Amino acid sequence: MECLRETGSTGEIARRLKISNPSVSQHIGVLRRAGLVATERRHNASVHTLTPLGEAVLG
């Protein structure tokens, strides 16, 4: 979640964490269902940001 302090696409997050796009998508899905991350479509990319709850959890 720490890397989501900076908004980014699935690909950008994968590069930051040095993991695959499918792995990022799976983790983001879990965080989204928990209400910690919000996702929106921008052109051909999914862009992810922390929700206020996600920010609160990180402190």
Side-chain angles (χ1 to χ4, degrees), residues 22-58:
S23 291
V24 169
S25 292
Q26 184 175 5
H27 285 83
I28 292 290
V30 171
L31 295 170
R32 188 174 37 251
R33 287 189 294 279
L36 302 171
V37 172
T39 301
E40 68 176 82
R41 294 290 296 174
R42 290 188 192 162
H43 305 288
N44 290 335
S46 293
V47 179
H48 314 286
T49 57
L50 287 174
T51 63
L53 177 59
E55 290 283 353
V57 167
L58 287 178

Side-chain angles (χ1 to χ4, degrees), residues 9 12 15-16 29 36 39-40:
S9 68
E12 290 167 340
R15 283 187 291 282
R16 285 183 218 156
L36 302 171
T39 301
E40 68 176 82

